[in-house]
Amino acid sequence: MPRKPLIAANWKMYKTPAQAQEFMKNFLPLVANHHRDEIVVCPSFTSISVVIAAATGSGVAIGAQNMHFADEGAYTGETSPLMLKAIGATHVILGHSERRQYFAENDELINKKLKSALHHALIPIVCVGEVLAEREAGKTEQVLLRQTRGVLAGIAASAAAPIVIAYEPVWAIGTGKTATPQIAAEAHAVIRNEVNKLLGAEIAANLRILYGGSVKPDNATALMAETEIDGALVGGASLDPQSFAKIVNY
Ligand code: PGA
């Protein structure tokens, strides 16, 4: 069975609830008849509820950009998987490079969050990717292997089916520099090959690997034409309903 592509919007720390609602009002009609891809919108926590309400009946799924691994506890400022489930979120982005860079998240923590998301039946979109210095030093493959092994440590093949991985070369995020479809496809093959070793052929064959990093309406078609690329995680270009709809309708 071919892998169903997944196109996810990562709004980062943008949009008030009113702005999020306005986006949905304009975006949903543009994708009303779209069934080819799974569409996911990930607003900041304060807008998740309004966006879920707006998306009711539309087929667009709503996710969070982060979560804590614990169900509850004395973790000031954090949000738990139970809380996300309770308001109807279905997906969660984990280990985004901005979380790694600015909030000191590492593979070990991301691994705990991934196990928790699977336990709570949230579909995890787990991010990996090298920084520019690592690419220039020829270490891309080494970094991808280390991150893939680290985030998947101790996860059984029987639990792994929902996992989505996003390859996001850090040098391409928000910079306007997109990885060429070939660069992305090579990195995806490294990840899929490692998942094959860790979790077996069936999980690897069905694993969706998204590309993220300056995906725009004008490069989405070329990226999505690569058989190794199973969707996109879109930051900047997902903030505008027309632009995100163009990407979804590549
Ligand atoms: P960008 O962000 O599309 O703005 O490069 C992608 C991401 O950070 O997920």
Side-chain angles (χ1 to χ4, degrees):
M1 232 180 43
R3 300 183 288 263
K4 183 166 181 149
L6 189 162
I7 313 285
N10 172 14
W11 284 354
K12 309 193 179 187
M13 200 171 71
Y14 291 97
K15 294 192 191 295
T16 62
Q19 289 167 335
Q21 212 160 17
E22 181 68 15
F23 174 99
M24 294 303 278
K25 196 178 90 190
N26 294 315
F27 175 67
L28 291 176
L30 304 175
V31 297
N33 298 311
H34 190 100
H35 302 291
R36 180 190 56 196
D37 311 73
E38 197 174 324
I39 307 170
V40 183
V41 173
C42 301
S44 48
F45 290 119
T46 49
S47 292
I48 293 177
S49 284
V50 288
V51 170
I52 286 174
T56 305
S58 72
V60 174
I62 309 304
Q65 298 171 15
N66 179 33
M67 64 172 213
H68 196 276
F69 56 81
D71 291 359
E72 59 182 10
Y75 299 107
T76 301
E78 292 291 316
T79 303
S80 92
L82 287 181
M83 295 166 184
L84 295 177
K85 290 284 287 187
I87 60 172
T90 52
H91 293 64
V92 62
I93 299 171
L94 298 175
H96 188 277
S97 65
E98 286 150 17
R99 302 292 318 165
R100 292 174 185 259
Q101 186 181 350
Y102 303 123
F103 304 97
E105 292 202 10
N106 57 26
D107 292 332
E108 196 186 339
L109 175 66
I110 297 159
N111 173 251
K112 282 189 187 164
K113 294 184 178 198
L114 176 55
K115 286 173 177 160
S116 172
L118 292 170
H119 175 74
H120 290 289
L122 284 161
I123 297 170
I125 302 172
V126 193
C127 304
V128 297
E130 79 286 0
V131 301
L132 185 60
E134 291 165 336
R135 172 156 288 272
E136 287 177 345
K139 290 188 175 149
T140 298
E141 182 165 341
Q142 191 183 319
V143 170
L144 293 179
L145 292 177
R146 187 188 68 226
Q147 292 180 339
T148 303
R149 288 175 190 146
V151 298
L152 295 176
I155 289 171
S158 58
I163 298 174
V164 177
I165 292 183
Y167 168 60
E168 296 211 311
V170 180
W171 47 270
I173 296 178
T175 58
K177 280 190 222 163
T178 323
T180 62
Q182 290 74 15
I183 288 179
E186 270 168 37
H188 287 210
V190 168
I191 295 165
R192 194 178 305 284
N193 191 37
E194 189 57 21
V195 169
N196 189 3
K197 287 188 197 155
L198 295 169
L199 296 169
E202 195 184 333
I203 292 293
N206 293 319
L207 172 71
R208 288 179 294 179
I209 307 180
L210 318 184
Y211 168 76
S214 298
V215 176
K216 309 282 177 211
D218 62 5
N219 60 26
T221 303
L223 287 162
M224 293 302 294
E226 285 289 338
T227 46
E228 262 301 331
I229 300 180
D230 306 309
L233 182 53
V234 187
S238 75
L239 292 169
D240 173 72
Q242 314 285 341
S243 150
F244 188 51
K246 276 189 195 144
I247 292 172
V248 169
N249 294 318
Y250 62 86

